[in-house]
Structure formats: C-alpha cells, structure tokens
Amino acid sequence: MIPPRFEYHAATSVMEAVGVLGQHKDAKILAGGHSILPAMKLRLAQPATLVDIGRIKELSRIIADANGTTIGAMTTHAMIAASNDIRQRLPALSKAAELIGDQQVRNRGTIGGSIAHADPAADYPAVLLALGAEMHAIQITGSRTIRASDFFVDLMTTALKSNELLVDVRIPALAPRSGSAYVKFPQPASRFALVGVCACVTLDDKGVCAKASIGITGACASARRATATESALLGKKLDAAIIQAAAAQAASGMDCLSDIHASAEYRAHLVTVMTARAIQAAVARVM
Ligand SMILES: Cc1cc2nc3c(=O)[nH]c(=O)nc-3n(C[C@H](O)[C@H](O)[C@H](O)COP(=O)(O)OP(=O)(O)OC[C@H]3O[C@@H](n4cnc5c(N)ncnc54)[C@H](O)[C@@H]3O)c2cc1C
C-alpha cells in the first residue's frame, strides 16, 4: 500500500526539527518508521509533513554516569540490547530491547519512537515505569522533563504535545542491593507483549524488601504500576510464598483489554503469573 502524499523534511539538528514541528501544525516526527509508516499506509495517520530525525547524531547515543543512564531518542532497540553499560546497570531494559520484534525491527525501531507511539503492548513502558525514568522533551520555546508515571496517559496517548520532540530518556542508577528483571509473554506472531512485567526490588542488609516497583504492559490501554503488589512486598523477606501472595494481587483494579489475541480474564491471569516470575528474577539479581 502507498501512503498519502506528504512533505518530507530531513532535519540535521534538534532545533531545526522543533522549528519545523512548531511551524507545521500537522507535522509528525519520523524516527525508525516502523509504526508511523504502516499507520500512514493504512490511512490511520495522515500527517502533512514528516520530520526525519535520523540524521541528528546527538539523538543516537547512550551515556552512563554515576547517577544514571541517558539514552537518546533515536537509539535503536539493537543498540540498547548490545550495550554492555545497559546490560550491567539495567538488565531489565537490556532484556526488553532484546525481546522486541525481530532483528529487522530492532535495527530500525527506536526507544523514542516506541514510547512516543505508546502502543499498549510495547515493552519499554513497563520498564521505564518500574525504573522511575524521566523523559526530556523540547519545543521551540523551551524544554521540560516528564516522569514516566505522567508520560503514558492512555491508548496510543502520551503527555507529549504535538510540537514537542522527545530528546532522551534518563534512568536513575539503581540503589545498592537492588535487582531488576523484565519478563514477557509474547503474542506469537508479532512478538508484542500480551503481558510484560518489569520488577525492581531493593533489599536492606537483613534481606527485607525496602522498595519495590512493578510496571505492567500489554494488559491495559496503557502501562500501569502494580501498586497493591508493591505494597504487599514492602517490609517482607521475599520468599516464594510471599512473592506468590503479592503477585496474586497484581491485576487488582486493572481494567484489562479483551481482543482477538486474549480475553480480559486471560490477561489478568497472565499478569499474576508473569509478575511472580519477574519478582523472583529481580530478587535473584540483587547484589
Ligand atoms: C513486525 C513488528 C514487530 C514489533 N514488535 C514489537 C515488540 O515486540 N515490542 C515492542 O515494544 N514494539 C514492537 N514493535 C514496534 C517497534 O518497536 C517500533 O520500532 C516502535 O513502535 C516505533 O519506533 P520507530 O522508531 O519505528 O518510530 P516511528 O514509527 O518513526 O514513530 C512512531 C511515532 O512516534 C513519533 N515519534 C517518533 N520519535 C519521536 C520523538 N523523538 N519525539 C516525538 N515523537 C516521536 C512519530 O511521530 C510517530 O507518531 C514492532 C513493530 C513491527 C513492525
């Protein structure tokens, strides 16, 4: 299928890109093109102008420092999966990137494109919620930081404004004695998450859970925190029975999606099973 006609603008700097976004009301960013181009061919999106940000080198990098890791919006899933820094510091994010689609999708698709698109079955939102990420967005008049908990608003809807460019994602360093893990039950054809869960736990020196954050994708219209499960873990030694009991509450209050791939009941059950696995894997990684 052929997309409708559009103007094409290849930006060479961030300010040039936001300048075009600001001038053209109906302009959209083109990153890896793996979501927007199919949507245009199906006439689900009809932007008058596409602003290609693929030539802006500063958007395609991973910077790790003592306080955290910054990932440029144009960094591909393949670059994230191949990064030693990310594998060592943020194994949950590394695994999420490695599990996205197939090699071709990982070579072209970007973290910025994935989270700006906000597909309910995308992998990164669960990880970014659990790890307390912040998104840095810029427009012609200034920039702002948006916490992951405020960023994912609804089905294919984020807090980004139409004239804003997502520049990078910042993930704080994990506290000492923390472990994180991402597990997913993939839809067998696309590999998108029927349910994906990221757990991050911090234990004190007696092995008691001092902090727990759990992000869930695929189950609802947008990624959610499993707050009841997080509360049930706090102050406990995380043995198998405690983890199972806490994970059993993971879908409470969630309005799970129902579609041709899975019923709401099936997704809710998967949420509890995958949450238990993610917590177990995170606890096993505590160093
Ligand atoms: C066959 C297939 C399988 C897939 N499997 C998975 C999977 O298992 N898990 C998963 O999570 N995803 C999966 N995806 C989606 C894939 O990860 C896409 O790469 C991603 O959703 C979009 O990234 P992109 O860089 O291609 O963005 P694009 O398609 O270029 O853009 C997507 C949207 O985001 C906007 N946008 C892009 N970058 C920015 C920015 N910096 N600032 C503001 N707005 C921006 C665009 O305007 C557009 O609206 C799959 C896709 C395909 C085609």
Side-chain angles (χ1 to χ4, degrees), residues 21 27-38 50 53 59 73-74 77 96 99-102 105 108-119 121-125 160-161 164-167 184 186 189-193:
L21 277 186
K28 294 278 267 178
I29 296 292
L30 175 66
H34 265 56
S35 292
I36 193 161
L37 294 181
L50 278 186
I53 56 171
L59 293 181
M74 271 305 291
H77 314 318
L99 293 177
I100 290 177
D102 52 35
V105 171
R108 292 292 305 171
T110 65
I111 187 166
S114 174
I115 62 179
H117 190 62
D119 190 297
D123 292 285
Y124 290 133
L160 277 179
K161 296 184 185 139
E164 280 182 319
L165 174 76
L166 178 65
V167 178
K184 111 163 152 177
S190 70
R191 317 307 294 170
F192 272 100

Side-chain angles (χ1 to χ4, degrees), residues 177-262:
R177 293 188 55 74
S178 294
S180 72
Y182 178 71
V183 297
K184 111 163 152 177
F185 191 95
Q187 199 275 332
S190 70
R191 317 307 294 170
F192 272 100
L194 261 187
V195 167
V197 181
C198 179
C200 183
V201 296
T202 305
L203 306 184
D204 67 15
D205 50 11
K206 295 190 178 69
V208 170
C209 180
K211 190 171 175 232
S213 51
I214 294 162
I216 297 189
T217 193
C220 304
S222 61
R224 303 283 153 85
R225 288 271 295 267
T227 49
T229 298
E230 293 171 359
S231 303
L233 295 173
L234 285 180
K236 312 248 173 61
K237 288 206 170 189
L238 302 186
D239 60 25
I242 294 288
I243 291 173
Q244 285 298 336
Q249 302 178 48
S252 69
M254 279 190 187
D255 193 7
C256 288
L257 297 170
S258 191
D259 57 26
I260 55 164
H261 303 302

Side-chain angles (χ1 to χ4, degrees), residues 3-284:
R5 290 184 69 83
F6 59 91
E7 295 291 320
Y8 172 80
H9 192 107
T12 54
S13 71
V14 165
M15 290 321 289
E16 185 185 343
V18 292
V20 181
L21 277 186
Q23 281 159 15
H24 297 78
K25 233 179 139 210
D26 198 13
K28 294 278 267 178
I29 296 292
L30 175 66
H34 265 56
S35 292
I36 193 161
L37 294 181
M40 288 169 69
K41 289 178 180 178
L42 292 168
R43 304 301 193 264
L44 297 172
Q46 303 204 27
T49 305
L50 278 186
V51 187
D52 187 346
I53 56 171
R55 289 170 177 77
I56 308 176
K57 287 201 171 54
E58 74 211 63
L59 293 181
S60 183
R61 63 185 177 184
I62 297 166
I63 301 171
D65 59 42
N67 298 321
T69 307
T70 302
I71 305 171
M74 271 305 291
T75 307
T76 63
H77 314 318
M79 287 169 69
I80 293 170
S83 162
N84 284 331
D85 276 333
I86 292 188
R87 194 173 308 118
Q88 281 159 18
R89 292 159 157 254
L90 305 167
L93 181 67
S94 180
K95 178 54 80 177
E98 184 190 315
L99 293 177
I100 290 177
D102 52 35
Q103 191 63 52
Q104 192 177 358
V105 171
R106 292 192 291 275
N107 284 344
R108 292 292 305 171
T110 65
I111 187 166
S114 174
I115 62 179
H117 190 62
D119 190 297
D123 292 285
Y124 290 133
V127 181
L128 300 181
L129 271 179
L131 299 185
E134 290 183 338
M135 326 304 178
H136 178 210
I138 189 163
Q139 58 166 295
I140 201 76
T141 53
S143 65
R144 66 179 175 135
T145 298
I146 310 166
R147 290 181 303 185
S149 51
D150 297 323
F151 188 86
F152 301 106
V153 174
D154 204 346
L155 192 89
M156 317 295 252
T157 308
T158 71
L160 277 179
K161 296 184 185 139
S162 61
N163 60 351
E164 280 182 319
L165 174 76
L166 178 65
V167 178
D168 57 44
V169 178
R170 172 90 179 158
I171 303 170
L174 299 190
R177 293 188 55 74
S178 294
S180 72
Y182 178 71
V183 297
K184 111 163 152 177
F185 191 95
Q187 199 275 332
S190 70
R191 317 307 294 170
F192 272 100
L194 261 187
V195 167
V197 181
C198 179
C200 183
V201 296
T202 305
L203 306 184
D204 67 15
D205 50 11
K206 295 190 178 69
V208 170
C209 180
K211 190 171 175 232
S213 51
I214 294 162
I216 297 189
T217 193
C220 304
S222 61
R224 303 283 153 85
R225 288 271 295 267
T227 49
T229 298
E230 293 171 359
S231 303
L233 295 173
L234 285 180
K236 312 248 173 61
K237 288 206 170 189
L238 302 186
D239 60 25
I242 294 288
I243 291 173
Q244 285 298 336
Q249 302 178 48
S252 69
M254 279 190 187
D255 193 7
C256 288
L257 297 170
S258 191
D259 57 26
I260 55 164
H261 303 302
S263 66
E265 293 75 16
Y266 185 70
R267 277 193 169 87
H269 178 67
L270 266 184
V271 164
T272 62
V273 172
M274 302 309 281
T275 298
R277 290 182 192 173
I279 299 167
Q280 271 153 2
V283 170

